[in-house]
Amino acid sequence: GAVVSQHPSWVICKSGTSVKIECRSLDFQATTMFWYRQFPKQSLMLMATSNEGSKATYEQGVEKDKFLINHASLTLSTLTVTSAHPEDSSFYICSDAGGADTEAFFGQGTRLTVV
Amino acid sequence: AQKVTQAQTEISVVEKEDVTLDCVYETRDTTYYLFWYKQPPSGELVFLIRRNSFDEQNEISGRYSWNFQKSTSSFNFTITASQVVDSAVYFCALSEADRGYQLIWGAGTKLIIKP
């Protein structure tokens, strides 16, 4: 079945640095990818919708200049957390959009810790 | 408005007991999809089931069963003869064709199976 591969699985970075998270669709083309953020003991919160070849659509309250999303090809979407702070520490998950005939496929998730 | 409610924050049962996780949804669309996902401590989301709004048949898969009732807008999930490996957080979600199949998540239910 379809697979979405997300890397890295976990990352620790220093405050003020940037971190890039990659989400690849391995055996299908994804024109749309979703990026979620999940705090401990909470549900998934949609951050933005990544569209191939165009600008991402951000949910209310999500800073687009801090969470840079690039979807340059049909198989790769990236989320870059710029100038990371400890409060950005969270679990980030990507998925494709799914559709009428299939469920969405999720990446393995990235646990980001900013120290 | 679209909404998914999982009223049970945490459930704890002893192994081999049956347990039901509740899910109530709200939508105005006639075409929608309901999902259950399992999230073990590793964080990776595991797809369990997808059901469309036109198919009210209940489904059984091994020890798992789902009861979809449009009359009460519910999509409950039952685990029969629970096992310790079933311990996880379970999410119910809703997607609608008119919203590009974007998932609307419940808050999740943490299931603890004690040996």
Side-chain angles (χ1 to χ4, degrees), chain A residues 36 38 43 46 91 99-100 104, chain B residues 37 39 43 50 91 101-102 105-106:
Chain A
Y36 296 90
Q38 186 181 28
S43 187
L46 180 66
F91 191 61
Chain B
Y37 284 88
Q39 189 177 42
R50 175 180 183 264
F91 290 100
Y101 305 103
Q102 176 183 313
W105 296 88

Side-chain angles (χ1 to χ4, degrees), chain A residues 3-112:
Chain A
V3 176
V4 172
S5 179
Q6 184 175 344
H7 292 279
S9 300
W10 60 271
V11 58
I12 301 173
C13 72
K14 292 184 178 181
S15 290
T17 62
S18 296
V19 174
K20 179 184 283 188
I21 302 170
E22 293 189 347
C23 185
R24 294 181 183 273
S25 54
L26 297 185
D27 54 359
F28 67 101
Q29 294 180 330
T31 55
T32 300
M33 300 286 273
F34 295 122
W35 284 95
Y36 296 90
R37 182 175 184 175
Q38 186 181 28
F39 290 108
K41 300 184 179 182
Q42 293 190 22
S43 187
L44 282 76
M45 181 192 77
L46 180 66
M47 298 176 65
T49 302
S50 168
N51 302 297
E52 188 269 335
S54 64
K55 291 183 178 180
T57 303
Y58 290 83
E59 296 299 301
Q60 191 173 5
V62 178
E63 299 176 59
K64 62 179 182 180
D65 294 330
K66 180 168 186 62
F67 299 99
L68 300 179
I69 290 174
N70 185 282
H71 197 151
S73 77
L74 288 170
T75 59
L76 176 64
S77 176
T78 61
L79 167 66
T80 301
V81 182
T82 63
S83 187
H85 289 112
E87 55 264 33
D88 297 326
S89 298
S90 189
F91 191 61
Y92 295 87
I93 312 174
C94 65
S95 80
D96 79 317
D101 301 321
T102 182
E103 72 274 17
F105 296 98
F106 287 83
Q108 300 90 330
T110 298
R111 199 166 300 279
L112 170 64

Side-chain angles (χ1 to χ4, degrees), chain B residues 5-86:
Chain B
T5 302
Q6 294 180 258
Q8 304 150 309
T9 304
E10 183 174 305
I11 299 174
S12 180
V13 300
V14 177
E15 197 173 21
K16 298 183 182 178
E17 287 186 12
D18 299 346
V19 59
T20 296
L21 283 62
D22 298 333
C23 175
V24 175
Y25 63 93
E26 295 177 28
T27 177
R28 293 181 180 176
D29 285 5
T30 56
T31 302
Y32 56 90
Y33 303 84
L34 296 165
F35 304 79
W36 277 95
Y37 284 88
K38 174 182 180 180
Q39 189 177 42
S42 65
E44 187 167 355
L45 287 166
V46 178
F47 168 76
L48 296 178
I49 190 169
R50 175 180 183 264
R51 174 66 77 217
N52 75 55
S53 53
F54 301 108
D55 182 2
E56 268 192 272
Q57 283 190 351
N58 293 328
E59 179 149 341
I60 298 175
S61 177
R63 296 184 297 106
Y64 295 172
S65 62
W66 291 269
N67 185 343
F68 178 24
Q69 292 197 349
K70 292 177 75 171
S71 60
T72 56
S73 296
S74 65
F75 187 44
N76 296 337
F77 172 34
T78 298
I79 301 175
T80 303
S82 60
Q83 300 177 2
V84 173
V85 293
D86 296 327

